[in-house]
Amino acid sequence: MGASTTLPCSEDASPPAWVLSSLHPECEYIFQLARDEQRCLREITDLGNLSSSSGCLPVWDSVVCWPRAAVGETIHSPCPAVFSVIKNNTGIVSRNCTPGGWSHPFPPYHEACSVEDEIPEESYFATVKLIYTVGYGASLLSLSVAVAILMLFRRLHCARNYIHMQLFLTFILKSVAVFIKDATLFSSDDTDHCTLSTVACKVSVVFCHYCIMTNFFWLLVEAVYLNFLLVSAFPRSRRCLWSFALLGWGFPLVCIILWICSRLYFEDTECWDINEDSPYWWIIKGPIVVSIGVNFFLFVNIIRILVQKLNPRLIQFNNSAQYRRLTKSTLLLIPLFGTHYMVFSFLPDYFNVSLRLCIELCLGSFQGLIVAVLYCFLNQEVQNEIRLRWMRNQEGSYVVVPVGAKGSQMDTPF
């Protein structure tokens, strides 16, 4: 009866870190296999001068590195680390060393390691790409119209709508950045986007990261501003708006510049869209995670304040309608505070990749459309202004502006 040997688990068996929304998953399989192949070939080279011609020689079968074995010996290998990117597999693959050479692996890889079920296929990514392309396209169109409306109607110029416009712009830029990055990295099926390293692709990745960061921080500004409104402590000055602008546009720019410098000097590899085990990735991811956490606590504080203010015994009658209206806006803002980001930010990056892709790419791509609908097209003040403009154009005469069409008394006009 032949001897049996079990190979130890690979040193690189721990799943790699997934980039927040930049790395296409198939790249992980490609790079993991490339690393395993290089390590195996080095071992074969090192043992080449010492090994005899008897038995089965070391071999790389494109998946597993099989060591030298004597005739009649059976080698057992755990599922390769590459299959653990999606799910931790505990299957075993074996091969016999026969007088005629290595036998075929048994059971086959797709049975022992659930390859066909667990590795995302090209059709899956094509479907995901189609969905988020439609989502970002719809968001881009609706947000562009919303920004034009808020800019054209002077009565809508107030601090609240100014902040809304900045948030709309970040969603627009985010959509544009995704299209640019896809056009640069995935313009052709022949393009090896996993090893592509050009100035154009690096610029597109940097631009995409910056737009994503600005989007998160303007969501944070929205939350901070709403907290100020609810406690009636918003400073009525342009200086505060400039402070918001620096937080929303300036701080992400500083983080991006630091990240660019770190990649240039320490990790100038590929197209900068792969951040596996990179400590410098936290220059971008760290502030985003902090902003998500702060947003969550501000959201909880908003709910607490609203519960107190909406108590009929604690508010005056003339303020009741105003606070109820603000409550409606706050409840509509809940999805925009990034509650789902709060869940994924504190879980491992490789946790439930399929669900992460669906939520962050598919559902997230429609987030801009939802923002435009809730905070522009369904806004009562916007509808009043459009109605008044329509009546003036139809009748050709001046129409008295009703009180309800004017800016909110809780906003700071500018």
Side-chain angles (χ1 to χ4, degrees), residues 82-362:
V82 64
F83 298 146
S84 296
V85 174
I86 295 293
K87 178 181 179 181
N88 289 328
N89 284 288
T90 57
I92 298 294
V93 181
S94 304
R95 293 185 76 170
N96 291 326
C97 180
T98 67
W102 286 106
S103 66
H104 292 293
F106 62 90
Y109 288 116
H110 69 276
E111 294 180 4
C113 306
S114 303
V115 177
E116 292 182 345
D117 295 333
E118 299 301 335
I119 293 183
E121 297 181 355
E122 183 177 354
S123 60
Y124 172 76
F125 293 109
T127 302
V128 171
K129 184 177 181 180
L130 175 62
I131 294 175
Y132 76 67
T133 298
V134 172
Y136 281 123
S139 297
L140 180 60
L141 178 61
S142 59
L143 288 165
S144 300
V145 175
V147 170
I149 291 174
L150 295 180
M151 292 181 64
L152 289 176
F153 294 98
R154 188 169 182 81
R155 288 194 182 91
L156 298 178
H157 291 184
C158 59
R160 171 172 52 83
N161 287 336
Y162 167 80
I163 294 174
H164 286 346
M165 278 195 295
Q166 306 305 307
L167 181 61
F168 292 175
L169 286 175
T170 63
F171 278 112
I172 291 175
L173 291 175
K174 182 180 176 181
S175 300
V176 172
V178 170
F179 290 141
I180 292 177
K181 186 167 71 72
D182 281 355
T184 304
L185 273 68
F186 309 102
S187 57
S188 173
D189 293 336
D190 297 330
T191 302
D192 185 1
H193 58 84
C194 295
T195 58
L196 182 66
S197 181
T198 63
V199 174
C201 78
K202 292 177 181 178
V203 170
S204 67
V205 170
V206 168
F207 180 61
C208 187
H209 286 328
Y210 176 70
C211 295
I212 291 175
M213 283 199 74
T214 57
N215 183 248
F216 276 106
F217 277 89
W218 275 105
L219 287 175
L220 177 62
V221 169
E222 287 273 9
V224 171
Y225 176 75
L226 190 54
N227 270 267
F228 281 153
L229 286 183
L230 289 174
V231 298
S232 301
F234 181 70
R236 296 176 179 269
S237 66
R238 290 177 178 266
R239 181 177 300 177
C240 190
L241 294 179
W242 277 108
S243 299
F244 284 155
L246 288 176
L247 176 61
W249 298 109
F251 182 75
L253 180 61
V254 173
C255 294
I256 289 296
I257 292 176
L258 292 175
W259 182 73
I260 292 175
C261 294
S262 66
R263 291 303 300 248
L264 281 173
Y265 288 101
F266 302 107
E267 289 184 352
D268 191 10
T269 58
E270 287 83 40
C271 199
W272 295 2
D273 62 332
I274 298 175
N275 299 279
E276 178 188 349
D277 299 328
S278 173
Y280 308 107
W281 174 236
W282 283 95
I283 297 176
I284 293 178
K285 185 175 180 179
I288 290 178
V289 172
V290 172
S291 70
I292 292 173
V294 173
N295 249 8
F296 178 78
F297 286 111
L298 290 176
F299 166 71
V300 173
N301 187 54
I302 288 174
I303 298 301
R304 181 187 63 82
I305 295 175
L306 287 176
V307 169
Q308 295 177 351
K309 288 185 175 291
L310 289 178
N311 189 334
R313 295 175 297 179
L314 300 179
I315 61 176
Q316 300 177 1
F317 177 80
N318 60 347
N319 287 331
S320 177
Q322 190 178 57
Y323 281 123
R324 291 185 185 278
R325 181 183 176 189
L326 195 56
T327 302
K328 181 180 178 180
S329 299
T330 304
L331 294 177
L332 294 176
L333 191 63
I334 291 176
L336 306 181
F337 273 24
T339 306
H340 63 289
Y341 293 123
M342 183 69 182
V343 175
F344 282 114
S345 294
F346 297 95
L347 291 175
D349 286 338
Y350 55 84
F351 177 82
N352 207 329
V353 177
S354 298
L355 180 60
R356 181 188 292 270
L357 286 175
C358 289
I359 292 180
E360 294 188 354
L361 288 180
C362 298

